[in-house]
Amino acid sequence: MQDTRQGYPKSIFYSRDEALLPSLGSEEEKTIFRDMQAAFAAQFENVYPDPHQPKTIVIIPSLTLDQEILQKIEGVVHYEERMLALLMLLRMPRTHVIFVTSVPIDPIIVDYYLHLLPGITGYHARQRLTLHSCFDASHISLTEKILARPRLIHRIRQSMPAGHLAHLVCFNVTDHERRLAVELGLPIYGCDPNLYHLGNKSNSRKIFKACSIPLPSGFEDLYTRQDVVKALIALKKENPDLQKAVVKINEGFSGDGNAIFYYPESSQNESLTTERIAASFPYALKIVAADLPQEIFMQKLEKDGGIVEAFLEGSEKTSPSVQCRINPLGRVEIISTHDQMLGGESGQVFLGANFPADEAYAPALGEMGRKVAEGLRDQGVIGRFSIDFISIKEEDQWKHFAIEINLRKGGTTHPYQMLDFLTQGKYNAENGIYRMANGQARYYFSSDNLHESVFKGLTPHDLIDIAMMHELRYDGSTQEGVVFHLIGALSQFGKLGVVCIGSTPERAQLFFRKTFNTLINECR
């Protein structure tokens, strides 16, 4: 029997009032999920790319990551708003979007995004958008909040129009997202959680080695303080001039699972012994995440494992990334490159990015990214992910070192999606240039950290009013301008996100400076 609403076998469409659910993480649950994923792949080619096919996309912007580390990020519940860029999918006139959040989104923020839609009226789009909220700002992941609310799951299911094929889009995919997929009877456009470990820090290094991609000297699969100390000593012996090393938890993210170890100074005849490194740990290991005690950091490393690698130095050093996509049919695409801006302890925390990466090395990065993506595809990975690099210029030549794989969406995902939806251009991985249909190039600067204490108290209504008065907006006629995100975090945390699109990198920076200066002046 077919459930004609979704097009998937009735046997894999469960609800609490229809059948007993398989136990969490059971083989039965995994089998149901695999069956749904296989059906999604079979239908993807005919349905998904056609803008006039009726379909529903359920967006779950849950950061299902280490919640203890996430709590260190101010306004983190509003980071779910970054995936509001996917409201641009409503430009397809028969597409419905269901968007679920921890806390309600102010209607003016929704209106702001719908106003950006090219060729679709806000009214038409609003009829095809359903918003749900858990009304819960607590520090557990959004997906876990949804799973704890069976009536909400029922309302999500009821929101899907009859006759539509549907799938889930998530920030990252863990066992919790798989469980939600099974309860909703929907596949996920993302990596099977059984493969999620491929993106941890240790396995990233192994994949880089298997793909013959250069990476920093280092050691993986470390689970004890003693393992870390031995690795630090081995690194120093390999490179006596090394001043710093990076210690990373396998499941860390955005630099907040990292720590920097500063080697103690030693005289010419003095060697670094295990005892000396161990004794220096309390003061020589600096944790990147604010207010995360070293003891907790080490407990997380002992639980999840981690790596130690050399801190790469260079007079001219950049931190680019490559964003890749593997569709359900196994097709690999290099969709963007970025030069990331990093801050925090020794530049470990993501602050923003320029798109695209420097033309001097963007094509080379794309080529390396493709090798890694093909290796991941061969292991069954699908969806969006990114690969981070450190690039150092030596004697007019750039050397690139792969740092980590992020098998999830990230800080460069939503800015590129917004550019893509607004301009409908394409990034050429061979020359590192993004061009629209008219042949013009486009660039942007994006940040999640437009953050000043004087911004506190500005409501979403205030921001929109300021933006309209000072023309801080995206202009569809010139295809340049400013798009805001993280608007919900502004009033309480003084924090805002922005994507500044320009015809040149300089124009993009000009829009950013205008935006920042205008907000500062308005707050004075």
Side-chain angles (χ1 to χ4, degrees):
M1 177 181 178
Q2 290 286 321
D3 182 308
T4 55
R5 180 181 62 187
Q6 298 301 330
Y8 300 118
K10 184 70 175 178
S11 61
I12 62 172
F13 186 78
Y14 283 82
S15 72
R16 281 183 167 88
D17 56 356
E18 289 179 4
L20 279 175
L21 285 163
S23 58
L24 181 65
S26 66
E27 285 305 314
E28 183 184 2
E29 180 190 84
K30 293 176 183 178
T31 298
I32 293 169
F33 181 75
R34 284 194 297 269
D35 289 346
M36 292 192 299
Q37 295 299 95
F40 182 45
Q43 296 157 356
F44 177 86
E45 190 167 25
N46 296 324
V47 176
Y48 188 81
D50 185 348
H52 294 99
Q53 281 278 3
K55 50 185 172 287
T56 294
I57 300 163
V58 182
I59 301 169
I60 309 294
S62 176
L63 281 71
T64 313
L65 301 163
D66 188 317
Q67 297 301 308
E68 190 169 12
I69 293 179
L70 276 179
Q71 288 178 43
K72 309 300 180 183
I73 301 175
E74 285 193 325
V76 70
V77 70
H78 298 287
Y79 276 61
E80 295 170 7
E81 293 179 25
R82 295 189 300 182
M83 287 182 69
L84 286 171
L86 290 174
L87 295 191
M88 298 297 102
L89 290 167
L90 292 166
R91 71 182 184 188
M92 296 183 285
R94 292 293 177 264
T95 293
H96 285 241
V97 169
I98 299 170
F99 201 98
V100 190
T101 52
S102 292
V103 296
I105 302 172
D106 192 303
I108 196 171
I109 298 175
V110 177
D111 178 75
Y112 174 76
Y113 279 90
L114 297 185
H115 181 72
L116 294 169
L117 281 165
I120 295 288
T121 68
Y123 174 82
H124 192 279
R126 193 64 183 83
Q127 305 311 301
R128 295 179 284 111
L129 171 64
T130 302
L131 301 173
H132 291 291
S133 173
C134 296
F135 295 89
D136 182 352
S138 64
H139 291 299
I140 61 171
S141 73
L142 167 62
T143 305
E144 291 173 272
K145 295 171 187 174
I146 298 170
L147 289 171
R149 292 165 169 79
R151 289 179 175 83
L152 175 57
I153 293 174
H154 179 72
R155 286 196 297 274
I156 294 170
R157 193 183 299 120
Q158 293 298 108
S159 300
M160 292 183 276
H164 277 217
L165 289 173
H167 68 273
L168 291 168
V169 174
C170 306
F171 181 81
N172 64 323
V173 185
T174 71
D175 292 349
H176 297 299
E177 282 72 31
R178 178 175 60 209
R179 178 62 171 195
L180 181 60
V182 169
E183 293 209 25
L184 287 171
L186 299 179
I188 300 177
Y189 193 169
C191 179
D192 188 318
N194 282 352
L195 302 175
Y196 194 62
H197 66 279
L198 294 174
N200 72 30
K201 303 301 186 292
S202 290
N203 286 325
S204 291
R205 289 181 57 86
K206 295 172 187 175
I207 290 169
F208 296 146
K209 292 174 185 178
C211 295
S212 300
I213 304 295
L215 70 164
S217 298
F219 302 89
E220 53 272 356
D221 293 328
L222 310 178
Y223 285 91
T224 66
R225 183 185 294 259
Q226 186 178 17
D227 289 343
V228 172
V229 169
K230 288 180 178 178
L232 289 168
I233 292 174
L235 270 183
K236 186 68 170 177
K237 287 181 178 178
E238 183 180 319
N239 181 2
D241 295 328
L242 190 65
Q243 300 298 310
K244 293 185 284 188
V246 188
V247 182
K248 299 180 180 179
I249 300 169
N250 270 341
E251 302 300 336
F253 53 90
S254 189
D256 281 334
N258 297 1
I260 304 297
F261 182 82
Y262 294 83
Y263 284 99
E265 294 184 5
S266 58
S267 63
Q268 188 173 1
N269 298 323
E270 188 178 16
S271 62
L272 285 175
T273 63
T274 301
E275 292 76 16
R276 188 160 181 238
I277 291 289
S280 70
F281 234 73
Y283 60 86
L285 189 70
K286 306 297 182 183
I287 311 301
V288 171
D291 303 321
L292 183 67
Q294 187 180 122
E295 180 182 358
I296 301 299
F297 178 89
M298 292 305 299
Q299 287 175 2
K300 292 180 181 297
L301 185 140
E302 290 166 4
K303 174 179 175 289
D304 297 326
I307 67 170
V308 166
E309 61 187 18
F311 185 93
L312 298 176
E313 304 277 9
S315 57
E316 192 169 352
K317 183 173 77 169
T318 61
S319 300
S321 69
V322 179
Q323 193 175 168
C324 311
R325 177 170 55 209
I326 304 172
N327 74 19
L329 303 174
R331 189 174 300 126
V332 170
E333 184 180 3
I334 305 303
I335 55 179
S336 71
T337 59
H338 291 82
D339 277 323
Q340 300 178 97
M341 288 180 57
L342 303 179
E345 184 71 38
S346 293
Q348 298 291 302
V349 179
F350 177 80
L351 299 177
N354 287 296
F355 168 84
D358 194 314
E359 289 180 32
Y361 51 71
L365 291 174
E367 186 177 338
M368 287 190 283
R370 185 175 296 277
K371 288 181 181 178
V372 174
E374 289 172 349
L376 291 170
R377 175 200 59 196
D378 293 344
Q379 299 193 56
V381 171
I382 69 167
R384 284 180 186 256
F385 58 92
S386 63
I387 306 159
D388 291 342
F389 291 82
I390 294 291
S391 299
I392 299 172
K393 193 172 186 180
E394 295 180 359
E395 299 178 356
D396 296 326
Q397 295 292 321
W398 285 97
K399 293 184 177 181
H400 309 290
F401 302 87
I403 300 298
E404 62 189 42
I405 300 169
N406 298 303
L407 281 182
R408 54 175 171 76
K409 294 175 174 59
T412 59
T413 304
H414 56 285
Y416 181 79
Q417 287 177 326
M418 187 58 72
L419 175 74
D420 183 32
F421 288 136
L422 291 174
T423 67
Q424 299 184 44
K426 186 172 180 61
Y427 177 72
N428 187 329
E430 293 182 1
N431 61 20
I433 299 175
Y434 179 94
R435 293 195 185 278
M436 302 183 296
N438 63 9
Q440 293 183 7
R442 281 298 178 269
Y443 306 81
Y444 64 70
F445 173 74
S446 68
S447 175
D448 292 340
N449 282 279
L450 193 57
H451 192 187
E452 295 289 334
S453 60
V454 293
F455 295 165
K456 292 180 179 179
L458 285 179
T459 68
H461 296 71
D462 296 331
L463 176 67
I464 302 303
D465 184 56
I466 292 169
M468 297 303 103
M469 291 295 295
H470 294 275
E471 299 185 354
L472 300 177
R473 57 185 175 82
Y474 178 77
D475 187 338
S477 63
T478 63
Q479 294 183 294
E480 291 185 305
V482 179
V483 181
F484 294 106
H485 57 273
L486 287 180
I487 298 173
L490 184 59
S491 184
Q492 182 178 354
F493 302 100
K495 192 173 189 177
L496 184 65
V498 65
V499 183
C500 299
I501 301 170
S503 56
T504 65
E506 293 76 20
R507 290 274 294 168
Q509 287 291 335
L510 179 66
F511 285 126
F512 177 74
R513 289 194 298 272
K514 178 183 177 182
T515 300
F516 179 77
N517 291 335
T518 298
L519 290 174
I520 289 290
N521 289 333
E522 285 289 329
C523 291
R524 286 174 180 164

